[in-house]
Amino acid sequence: MKQYDETDHRDDATTASDDSDTLDSIIDKFPQDVTFPDDRAHAVAETDGVRDGDGGPDDVTDAVATESLDASGSFDTADPAASPDSTDSTDLTDSTDTAAHDTADDTDDDTIDGTVVDDDNDTAEGNANDGIDVGTINDADAPDVESDDVDTAGIDDSTNADPGNTGNAVNTADTGAEAEPGTADAAETEPDTDATTEAADEPDAETSPATDDDASQPEASSATTAIEESAGSAEPQPGADTDHEDRIDTEADTDPADGTDVTSTDAAKPADGDKASDASAHRFADAFATMRSGLSALAPVGRAIRTVWNKRPKLSFALYAIVFVIVDTASVLALQWSVYSPIEYAEDADVDTTTRVMGTMLGQLTKFVSQTWLEHQWQFLLNFLVLGLIYLVVITLFNRFWVPTALFGTVMIVFAVANKFKVAMRNEPIIPADLNFVSSGNTGELLSFIPDESMALVRSVVVGLAYFIAVCVALQILDRRGGLFPCHWRPSRFVSVRNITAVVCRVAAFVACASLLFSYVWNLSVPNSWAQQWSRSLSDSPQLWNALDDSRSNGPAINFLRLAHSKTMDEPEGYSQEAMEEIADRYAVEAEAINATRTNNLTDNTVIMILSESFSDPTRVPGVALTVDPMPGIRMLKETTTSGLMLSPGYGGGTANIEYQALTGLDMANFDESMLSVYQQLVPSQDNPYSFNQIWTAVYGESGSIAFHPYFKNMYFRDGNYQKFGFSELLTLDSDPAIEYQDHAGSSPYVSDAAAYNNVLAAIEEQDQPQFIQLVTMQNHASYGDYYEYNEFYDADLSTFDDGERRQIDNYTKGVSLTDQATTEFLNALDQIDKPITVIFYGDHLPSIYATANADPNNTLALHETDYFIWSNLASASNDVKLGAETTSFSSSNYCMSMAAAHMNATVSPYLALLTELQQQVPSISRVGGASAGWGEGDATYLDMYGNVIDPDTLSILAQQLLADYQMVQYDMTAGEGYLRDTAFYDVPEAQNVTLTKNPVPGSGFTTDTPIFEQYVAEQPLY
């Protein structure tokens, strides 16, 4: 009989123990109720550890090792040393260190069949004392751990493991009683596999101290782990028969009933079905043993990988800080690169080398950074801090460093490249409203915006980002630190002071960073807020009229965030669909009453709305004294046609706001104070904003309205905004086709008003039908240099200002004089056209050249009043009409269209009826700011018919009701649900009694009975 030799299986036992997790998971997948023939019990171990107790060859006490499941899920199997005939039981207890899946095999003196075997295989730590006592087996490991004590039939099992480990030993006294490992002790010590996984994912987390310690310990072997000997070994157990195909069991058993010997030759001979079952079980066992052997062969590779994995370094926070600064700086420069264009000079130009170098892309980026210490301009630092805050929000959200770095860097580079393409195509940067393009499902069209010559750049960026992301992911894997705040969320590991402190710190860090970023973005556009004041202390100088210049000067990140949040309006009390339908019905009745006396249609006339840049009468400014009238033509015209002064919300700027009021009928005074530039903060995000030109497009289609602006289309985003308003096209210097007439007055950098008017006259000639024409001029835009060869106002100015202020005023006044002459000639030309034409002319704001007057708070209103008039040509029924001064002396641009309808005696929509009624009660409404107010800032100001400021609380009940309705309408049109779109609120009805005759053109020989549009002024030259 072969004597059991522990050393025969020591290496295999070690391998099986090390790979116990893998083996267990495989074993669990096989059915537990598979039965084998009795003659194969010596070769196949029972996995449930049940002792049959029948005395046969399949008894666990004869050939099957008792198995126990320790806390790590590995199997410990005692290998019997006796022959099958032996009735002695041999139990070997094993302790397995499972914290790092290492097995320490340290066998003391073993007693086998009464023989003492001294294995002397002790190690420094984690010794496993395998001793055989009759009835009691004690397994003890190193102290200071969790222990599970299981007493079964008087057996004392006391287990102590290394710190962080759980030792479990189930020893069954050899009393013939059945013991089932896994029912009591195994259930009590079931390993927390999730916690183990969590510890592996987060090496820096609060794991067992033994994790780090065991990783550095040499691999130990287990003397008693012998799974392959009982259930999976290819070698047969001592005494087991290896012939399982044809052999018939003839062993004699003792009948437990009568004690007689019976021969099993006939009784135990299996039937054909039993032989098939026996062969199937044999193949199953062999396949299982082969699989287990293959897995055991991979154990050394697993141990090597685990050893390397546990030795990963924890990268220092100093490295994190360095990488943070580099990535943040690179992001600022990438965004700045996206808005710059190299300045090219002719080779023969008189430009020094330094200027040429600074005009390159690298030179401009260098200047943006170096101005921090050379000129004390802190825009680079401002962008660095703001982008760094965004970076920190991402880091604290993920509680990692390398993955957020990859995410942040990728987003910044992609944004920079996209911004570069948009600037190249439209001369404007990306703004928050552009995100609607992506969110509305147009992502697939983005590639169509990439120029063919830029595909090489795109490919380079893609490759570079792939390398960048790969490096970051690799560093995240190799960095053992894992979470910046080591914390766990599983209930079993959460409840500890250290872990709770880490969790609180992590959450607090994210909340603090996210709250600061949110507060900054929310308040950046709010006047006098902490965010705005802090930004301006770092040299932020908003340029809301030009997003590209704002990006180049203050940084694309600041420009984007400046436009990211702007509160439109507070929701008026009582706002609802029912309330808006009630307002629509109310003013439909008002419109019907007004239209009862109106005989003309707006769309029967060509209406030209002219915003004259910075036009105003300089002689009305306190302190200005001139001996020559700069605007005699317009002054005389105002005496004979509807005219007056217009309260402007701007001084020295804000053109688009006044323009918006005139085109939509809405007023800046009703908006929230953070709404500083509607063309940049509001209109780009609207789907279908209403404007008065739509009255003509509703009748004549897309050709019903056209716009001209003799400058660049990106100013105030006019290109996109005018498309939203429904203009057929906007002709500018850089449109396709470009504006036709581009002459300048003197050496002025801007197109003259005379040339701008010529473009309008050409459009009228090309179109037979009436149309709405929008013109925004540029001649009198700042700055005001010595552009004109002859300026008579140098000698005509008697003002006592200093030379610098006086010179600017004189140059500006000369421009006003040229505008007066060009406008007079333009109106004369319109008189020669046999088409009814009405002109709405107004100045947007005063130039910011009156420093002395602006220093006096009493001059605030005077510096916010511009000139306007509404005039109709001779072919119009409203020629020579002048409305009463009580409703026209003082007005505001939101009333332009309602006043024009009254001037033309044209029918109105319910919306125009509201404006008509409101103007009679509150003639002027605007946002007006004092001398210290910034661009677009101010308070709601109301003027009466005499130009005096009135308190809205003192208004009549009718006026207050009209004002409340107006505010609710504006909210519905801009920030609300747009309920009025589903009503007839904007519809203009046809006049019931249309005038069939017009005044004749002088000298044409026609009478007042001439039918409309039937005659044509022949051979009358246009201007």
Side-chain angles (χ1 to χ4, degrees):
M1 174 172 20
K2 180 180 179 180
Q3 185 70 20
Y4 171 81
D5 187 357
E6 182 179 301
T7 59
D8 290 344
H9 303 286
R10 189 175 304 278
D11 293 339
D12 292 337
T14 302
T15 301
S17 177
D18 288 338
D19 204 41
S20 60
D21 284 342
T22 304
L23 297 179
D24 292 345
S25 63
I26 295 175
I27 291 172
D28 291 341
K29 295 180 181 179
F30 290 98
Q32 301 298 316
D33 57 352
V34 177
T35 60
F36 304 105
D38 292 343
D39 60 343
R40 300 182 62 247
H42 299 293
V44 181
E46 295 179 1
T47 59
D48 61 356
V50 178
R51 301 185 178 184
D52 299 336
D54 60 359
D58 60 336
D59 201 322
V60 175
T61 61
D62 298 329
V64 183
T66 302
E67 298 174 347
S68 64
L69 183 63
D70 66 6
S72 67
S74 62
F75 285 91
D76 296 329
T77 306
D79 194 327
S83 66
D85 297 331
S86 174
T87 58
D88 295 334
S89 63
T90 304
D91 292 343
L92 298 178
T93 61
D94 177 53
S95 175
T96 305
D97 184 0
T98 64
H101 302 286
D102 299 312
T103 302
D105 180 13
D106 203 355
T107 307
D108 291 338
D109 297 342
D110 294 343
T111 305
I112 302 176
D113 286 340
T115 303
V116 178
V117 180
D118 185 1
D119 56 10
D120 268 346
N121 197 19
D122 299 343
T123 58
E125 289 186 54
N127 295 336
N129 299 321
D130 297 15
I132 307 301
D133 295 330
V134 179
T136 303
I137 300 175
N138 183 31
D139 181 12
D141 285 346
D144 300 332
V145 296
E146 285 185 68
S147 63
D148 295 331
D149 296 331
V150 180
D151 296 331
T152 304
I155 298 176
D156 176 33
D157 177 16
S158 180
T159 304
N160 296 314
D162 291 335
N165 301 328
T166 302
N168 301 293
V170 179
N171 302 304
T172 307
D174 190 18
T175 61
E178 293 184 356
E180 299 186 23
T183 59
D185 186 67
E188 228 177 83
T189 61
E190 180 179 357
D192 189 353
T193 57
D194 291 340
T196 304
T197 303
E198 184 178 355
D201 290 341
E202 300 184 15
D204 65 323
E206 190 183 45
T207 58
S208 169
T211 301
D212 293 339
D213 296 338
D214 293 341
S216 62
Q217 297 294 334
E219 294 291 332
S221 61
S222 174
T224 60
T225 302
I227 300 175
E228 71 277 19
E229 297 179 44
S230 59
S233 175
E235 298 179 8
Q237 297 296 330
D241 192 346
T242 59
D243 184 5
H244 299 286
E245 294 294 334
D246 301 321
R247 175 179 169 276
I248 299 177
D249 189 358
T250 60
E251 294 181 283
D253 291 339
T254 301
D255 190 307
D258 56 17
T260 62
D261 292 339
V262 293
T263 303
S264 59
T265 303
D266 297 325
K269 182 176 181 180
D272 292 341
D274 293 338
K275 292 181 64 176
S277 175
D278 180 60
S280 175
H282 175 68
R283 287 192 298 271
F284 177 85
D286 288 346
F288 181 69
T290 301
M291 182 184 301
R292 171 169 267 166
S293 298
L295 292 175
S296 298
L298 296 177
V301 178
R303 288 197 303 273
I305 294 175
R306 185 169 64 251
T307 301
V308 173
W309 178 263
N310 289 334
K311 291 183 179 180
R312 293 172 300 152
K314 288 186 177 181
L315 301 182
S316 67
F317 285 101
L319 176 61
Y320 294 166
I322 293 173
V323 174
F324 183 95
V325 172
I326 292 175
V327 173
D328 195 6
T329 301
S331 299
V332 173
L333 294 179
L335 293 181
Q336 207 64 33
W337 161 83
S338 69
V339 296
Y340 283 152
S341 298
I343 302 175
E344 298 180 356
Y345 300 95
E347 293 190 5
D348 58 348
D350 186 17
V351 179
D352 59 81
T353 304
T354 301
T355 303
R356 290 180 183 273
V357 171
M358 295 306 295
T360 63
M361 186 68 71
L362 183 58
Q364 294 179 71
L365 291 174
T366 301
K367 180 181 179 182
F368 185 75
V369 177
S370 61
Q371 68 180 356
T372 303
W373 55 84
L374 294 178
E375 304 175 16
H376 300 292
Q377 295 294 314
W378 308 102
Q379 288 91 341
F380 170 77
L381 179 60
L382 174 62
N383 282 264
F384 179 86
L385 294 176
V386 172
L387 289 182
L389 180 59
I390 298 175
Y391 193 179
L392 282 176
V393 170
V394 181
I395 290 175
T396 54
L397 174 63
F398 287 91
N399 194 32
R400 297 290 190 274
F401 180 77
W402 298 109
V403 170
T405 295
L407 178 62
F408 175 80
T410 300
V411 171
M412 290 297 102
I413 295 301
V414 171
F415 185 94
V417 173
N419 204 37
K420 186 73 172 178
F421 292 150
K422 188 182 180 187
V423 169
M425 288 188 303
R426 300 191 57 179
N427 209 32
E428 64 186 33
I430 293 175
I431 61 174
D434 292 330
L435 300 182
N436 295 334
F437 182 83
V438 177
S439 62
S440 59
N442 297 311
T443 309
E445 300 179 17
L446 292 177
L447 293 178
S448 64
F449 294 100
I450 302 177
D452 293 337
E453 60 272 16
S454 299
M455 290 305 298
L457 171 63
V458 173
R459 287 190 289 268
S460 299
V461 169
V462 171
V463 172
L465 286 178
Y467 280 113
F468 174 69
I469 294 173
V471 169
C472 289
V473 172
L475 288 172
Q476 181 66 60
I477 295 174
L478 296 176
D479 188 359
R480 190 180 179 193
R481 185 177 302 281
L484 300 180
F485 295 95
C487 52
H488 306 281
W489 300 97
R490 289 181 58 82
S492 60
R493 309 184 68 185
F494 183 84
V495 184
S496 69
V497 175
R498 178 180 177 184
N499 188 67
I500 293 177
T501 302
V503 170
V504 171
C505 291
R506 173 183 176 179
V507 174
F510 171 72
V511 171
C513 293
S515 299
L516 182 59
L517 177 62
F518 177 82
S519 178
Y520 178 79
V521 175
W522 188 270
N523 291 283
L524 184 57
S525 60
V526 177
N528 301 317
S529 65
W530 76 266
Q532 190 178 89
Q533 292 180 354
W534 178 74
S535 297
R536 292 186 177 181
S537 69
L538 293 176
S539 307
D540 179 36
S541 179
Q543 300 181 30
L544 295 176
W545 56 90
N546 192 322
L548 182 57
D549 287 348
D550 190 36
S551 296
R552 288 172 174 170
S553 176
N554 302 303
I558 301 302
N559 171 260
F560 184 89
L561 296 179
R562 195 192 321 280
L563 303 176
H565 167 258
S566 55
K567 183 178 180 181
T568 306
M569 291 178 64
D570 289 322
E571 181 177 319
E573 183 179 356
Y575 175 75
S576 66
Q577 182 174 358
E578 293 74 14
M580 299 315 300
E581 291 174 349
E582 181 182 348
I583 288 177
D585 294 339
R586 182 186 309 150
Y587 291 100
V589 175
E590 292 291 336
E592 185 177 356
I594 294 173
N595 293 336
T597 61
R598 301 286 177 93
T599 59
N600 298 321
N601 295 312
L602 285 170
T603 53
D604 289 341
N605 295 260
T606 290
V607 172
I608 306 170
M609 184 174 285
I610 301 174
L611 183 153
S612 185
E613 174 63 38
S614 301
F615 183 86
S616 66
D617 184 0
T619 62
R620 288 188 292 103
V621 177
V624 175
L626 301 172
T627 59
V628 177
D629 187 354
M631 43 178 288
I634 293 178
R635 194 183 308 282
M636 183 179 297
L637 180 66
K638 291 179 65 177
E639 296 294 330
T640 60
T641 192
T642 301
S643 62
L645 297 179
M646 185 168 287
L647 184 63
S648 170
Y651 169 72
T655 298
N657 290 340
I658 299 95
E659 176 185 336
Y660 175 81
Q661 292 186 161
L663 284 173
T664 65
L666 306 179
D667 201 287
M668 293 296 297
N670 293 332
F671 286 127
D672 185 80
E673 62 177 358
S674 64
M675 182 64 64
L676 302 177
S677 178
V678 286
Y679 271 10
Q680 290 185 299
Q681 296 174 293
L682 175 62
V683 179
S685 63
Q686 291 184 284
D687 294 329
N688 189 22
Y690 178 78
S691 57
F692 291 125
N693 65 293
Q694 295 171 18
I695 298 174
W696 279 260
T697 58
V699 177
Y700 303 110
E702 291 184 357
S703 61
S705 62
I706 190 173
F708 297 91
H709 179 49
Y711 202 56
F712 300 106
K713 61 185 179 182
N714 69 308
M715 288 292 289
Y716 292 108
F717 298 134
R718 281 193 179 92
D719 187 23
N721 292 340
Y722 276 33
Q723 289 182 20
K724 289 177 176 289
F725 288 149
F727 285 96
S728 61
E729 57 182 336
L730 169 64
L731 297 176
T732 63
L733 296 178
D734 56 347
S735 62
D736 185 18
I739 196 170
E740 182 177 358
Y741 298 97
Q742 302 182 15
D743 300 328
H744 295 239
S747 60
S748 171
Y750 305 113
V751 173
S752 67
D753 285 350
Y757 291 149
N758 283 339
N759 289 290
V760 174
L761 291 171
I764 296 174
E765 278 292 294
E766 294 172 0
Q767 193 75 270
D768 292 333
Q769 67 190 26
Q771 57 187 320
F772 181 94
I773 300 176
Q774 167 77 358
L775 171 64
V776 179
T777 69
M778 281 297 295
Q779 175 183 288
N780 295 318
H781 196 282
S783 59
Y784 306 102
D786 299 336
Y787 302 138
Y788 312 108
E789 184 176 357
Y790 172 72
N791 190 341
E792 65 273 26
F793 295 99
Y794 291 156
D795 298 329
D797 190 354
L798 304 179
S799 306
T800 59
F801 306 130
D802 61 62
D803 292 342
E805 181 179 357
R806 178 176 173 175
R807 191 76 170 185
Q808 287 194 78
I809 293 174
D810 293 343
N811 288 333
Y812 165 75
T813 303
K814 177 62 176 180
V816 170
S817 177
L818 294 177
T819 297
D820 180 76
Q821 298 174 34
T823 302
T824 301
E825 294 175 357
F826 173 64
L827 298 182
N828 289 336
L830 294 179
D831 265 340
Q832 306 305 309
I833 301 175
D834 189 23
K835 298 177 182 179
I837 300 172
T838 295
V839 175
I840 305 172
F841 177 100
Y842 65 98
D844 56 344
H845 56 77
L846 275 71
S848 58
I849 57 176
Y850 304 109
T852 302
N854 191 41
D856 186 352
N858 295 323
N859 297 329
T860 298
L861 280 181
L863 296 178
H864 284 80
E865 293 173 349
T866 65
D867 296 86
Y868 84 94
F869 65 80
I870 301 175
W871 172 91
S872 298
N873 70 345
L874 292 174
S876 174
S878 54
N879 177 252
D880 293 335
V881 171
K882 182 177 176 61
L883 298 179
E886 64 276 4
T887 57
T888 61
S889 295
F890 289 90
S891 186
S892 47
S893 62
N894 60 308
Y895 293 132
C896 278
M897 188 54 66
S898 61
M899 287 193 299
H903 174 87
M904 293 186 291
N905 196 34
T907 56
V908 297
S909 64
Y911 180 37
L912 288 173
L914 168 61
L915 294 174
T916 301
E917 296 294 328
L918 181 62
Q919 188 194 17
Q920 294 178 2
Q921 300 296 322
V922 187
S924 295
I925 304 175
S926 193
R927 176 190 290 175
V928 177
S932 61
W935 194 96
E937 299 176 5
D939 300 317
T941 303
Y942 307 92
L943 302 182
D944 60 17
M945 60 180 296
Y946 304 107
N948 300 318
V949 177
I950 55 177
D951 185 348
D953 294 334
T954 63
L955 293 173
S956 66
I957 296 178
L958 175 60
Q960 291 184 12
Q961 179 63 54
L962 288 166
L963 191 59
D965 290 346
Y966 182 42
Q967 292 170 346
M968 190 169 290
V969 166
Q970 182 160 329
Y971 179 82
D972 184 74
M973 293 175 65
T974 57
E977 300 298 328
Y979 296 126
L980 292 174
R981 279 285 183 184
D982 299 328
T983 67
F985 190 69
Y986 306 110
D987 297 342
V988 181
E990 290 284 336
Q992 298 299 316
N993 300 308
V994 180
T995 303
L996 298 179
T997 59
K998 299 286 191 296
N999 292 327
V1001 176
S1004 65
F1006 300 125
T1007 66
T1008 56
D1009 296 328
T1010 304
I1012 303 174
F1013 305 133
E1014 191 172 297
Q1015 303 295 329
Y1016 178 74
V1017 181
E1019 305 299 330
Q1020 292 287 345
L1022 295 179
Y1023 174 74

